[in-house]
């Protein structure tokens, strides 16, 4: 009995599971030393162990193994049993109770039940039940069916997928449209400004080109002009009415003891300003720097370096005095003695 307990149920199960693959030689040889010892203790059974364990004795380990390997329906020990326990009955709940039962007849029955359940499990290819003390408590607990487990666990509510807001797309579209409109306006305005500037530049260029091609022509007065008869210029008279149009004073004055009619140029010999005739003072006064000239044109004050100049004058064929501005006479050069520079009054 002690030798039989040496082989644990786990070993028996392992041997039974491996039995289908084992060779014939494995059947002859003992599976484990424990089995060998159990076989020695067990009374020698006839060769067809599966057929003749009907003697009512407990099947040996070898018999169990042989039956498991051969796939026989029922072990010989179960055949005469009064209570026909189905072999397929789940043995998972039994082994723990069998282990807890007192040693005796009940224990024997439990052992037989364990063997049947082990065999059934081995045939079914599933683990029959607790095979060790560590597995027993776990097997004793009623296993929860997976369906019940799933039912016990409340399903996590899946929130509904939020609907895509319909207003988002139009808003984006509107923003895009606004951007496009702004860009088009901006580009349009920039282009308009550019084209306007280009047009203005082109117009100015055309005007400049036209002015270059057709320059202003100064309508200068003719260099020769008639101022009237000698009688129109009495002695000591300074005629200023030709200053604006011709830039000439026609004077009936005395120069070096000779009464003459001469034409004085209205340009200051300092820097070119136009002096004024001051009738009260009987002098020409330059407003720019204060140069002063006598009636005959000789400078006497101010920065003017030299006398005024004279134009040529003569009596034309019609008896009128004619001034010719193409010819000028300077006193410092002695040119006022030229008869072309004056007319005897
Ligand atoms: Fe006549 Fe200077 S320009 S005084």
């Amino acid at each position: 009995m002690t030798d039989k307990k040496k082989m644990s149920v786990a070993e028996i199960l392992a041997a039974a599971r491996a039995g289908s693959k084992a060779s014939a030689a494995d059947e002859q040889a003992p599976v484990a030393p424990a089995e060998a010892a159990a076989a020695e203790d067990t009374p020698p059974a006839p060769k067809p162990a599966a057929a003749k364990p009907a003697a009512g004795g407990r099947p040996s380990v070898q018999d169990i193994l042989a039956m498991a390997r051969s796939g026989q329906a029922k072990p010989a020990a179960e055949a005469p049993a009064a209570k026909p326990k189905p072999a397929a009955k789940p043995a998972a709940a039994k082994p723990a109770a069998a282990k807890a039962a007192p040693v005796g007849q009940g224990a024997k029955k439990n052992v037989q039940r364990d063997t049947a359940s082990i065999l059934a499990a081995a045939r079914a290819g599933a683990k029959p039940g607790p095979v060790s003390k560590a597995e027993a408590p776990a097997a004793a607990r009623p296993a929860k069916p997976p369906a019940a487990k799933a039912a016990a666990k409340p399903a996590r509510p899946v929130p509904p997928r939020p609907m895509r807001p319909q207003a988002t797309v139009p808003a984006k579209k509107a923003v895009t449209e606004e951007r496009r409109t702004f860009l088009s306006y901006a580009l349009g305005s920039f282009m308009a400004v550019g084209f306007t500037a280009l047009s203005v530049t082109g117009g100015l260029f055309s005007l400049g080109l036209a002015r270059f091609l057709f320059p202003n022509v100064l309508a200068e007065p003719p260099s020769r002009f008639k101022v009237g008869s000698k009688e129109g210029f009495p002695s000591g008279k300074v005629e200023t009415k030709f200053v604006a149009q011709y830039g000439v004073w026609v004077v009936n004055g005395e120069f070096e003891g000779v009464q003459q009619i001469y034409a004085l140029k209205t340009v200051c010999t300092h820097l070119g300003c136009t002096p004024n005739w001051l009738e009260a003072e009987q002098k020409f006064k330059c407003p720019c720097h204060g140069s002063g000239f006598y009636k005959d044109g000789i400078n006497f004050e101010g920065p003017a370096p030299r006398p005024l100049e004279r134009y040529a004058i003569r009596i034309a064929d019609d008896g009128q005095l004619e001034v010719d501005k193409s010819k000028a006479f300077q006193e410092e050069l002695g040119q006022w003695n030229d008869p072309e520079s004056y007319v005897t009054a």
Side-chain angles (χ1 to χ4, degrees):
M1 188 71 176
T2 313
D3 293 335
K4 283 181 184 177
K5 282 185 180 178
K6 281 180 182 176
M7 187 173 187
S8 65
V9 179
E11 290 173 337
I12 294 170
L13 274 176
R17 286 170 190 149
S20 58
K21 295 178 184 177
S23 63
D26 290 334
E27 288 184 35
Q28 297 294 331
V31 174
E35 284 183 14
E40 283 174 6
D41 290 348
T42 310
K47 200 65 180 174
K52 292 186 181 179
R58 182 184 168 204
S60 65
V61 174
Q62 276 190 336
D63 293 340
I64 294 170
L65 287 174
M67 283 187 291
R69 285 165 188 155
S70 63
Q72 199 168 343
K74 281 188 178 180
E78 280 187 20
K83 293 183 273 183
K85 285 254 179 183
K89 197 167 185 180
K94 300 274 183 182
K99 283 240 174 185
V103 180
Q105 189 63 25
K108 218 172 185 179
K109 283 183 181 176
N110 286 336
V111 169
Q112 287 180 356
R113 232 177 267 137
D114 290 344
T115 307
S117 63
I118 290 166
L119 283 173
R123 286 172 196 137
K127 199 171 182 180
V131 294
S132 64
K133 281 185 178 178
E135 290 177 352
R141 285 197 299 262
K144 283 184 181 177
K149 209 172 183 179
K153 199 172 184 181
R156 182 178 291 175
V158 180
R161 191 172 185 176
M163 293 289 291
R164 173 179 278 185
Q166 296 297 325
T168 306
V169 176
K172 278 184 178 177
K173 245 181 181 177
V175 170
T176 310
E177 288 295 329
E178 283 181 3
R179 280 183 191 158
R180 283 178 184 167
T181 308
F182 172 74
L183 286 175
S184 63
Y185 281 147
L187 286 176
S189 60
F190 284 143
M191 290 180 71
V193 169
F195 276 115
T196 304
L198 186 64
S199 303
V200 170
T201 307
L204 291 176
F205 178 76
S206 301
L207 283 176
L209 183 64
R211 188 168 178 81
F212 173 77
L213 293 177
F214 305 99
N216 281 343
V217 178
L218 294 174
E220 290 187 359
S223 59
R224 287 189 178 194
F225 55 93
K226 292 181 178 175
V227 293
S229 62
K230 285 174 47 177
E231 290 72 23
F233 302 94
S235 177
K237 171 83 173 165
V238 176
E239 185 57 61
T240 59
K241 63 180 182 185
F242 306 106
V243 172
Q245 186 176 3
Y246 299 108
V248 170
W249 290 294
V250 179
V251 182
N252 186 345
E254 184 181 345
F255 179 70
E256 294 181 348
V258 179
Q259 196 69 29
Q260 303 174 342
I261 298 176
Y262 47 85
L264 287 176
K265 186 177 179 181
T266 59
V267 175
C268 179
T269 54
H270 178 220
L271 290 178
C273 292
T274 302
N276 297 313
W277 168 246
L278 303 180
E279 182 68 28
E281 300 178 20
Q282 293 290 304
K283 68 175 182 182
F284 299 100
K285 186 71 174 178
C286 183
C288 296
H289 309 98
S291 296
F293 303 89
Y294 294 121
K295 189 186 288 184
D296 57 5
I298 302 296
N299 58 305
F300 67 93
E301 62 179 354
R306 60 186 178 88
L308 298 174
E309 295 180 2
R310 289 183 181 182
Y311 287 129
I313 187 171
R314 74 178 183 95
I315 298 175
D317 296 339
D318 58 356
Q320 296 191 40
L321 297 172
E322 184 183 62
V323 178
D324 185 2
K325 293 179 66 174
S326 62
K327 293 181 182 175
F329 301 89
Q330 299 180 8
E331 192 278 335
E332 68 274 17
L333 299 179
Q335 293 175 345
W336 282 10
N337 297 320
D338 191 322
E340 289 188 27
S341 65
Y342 63 93
V343 173
T344 305

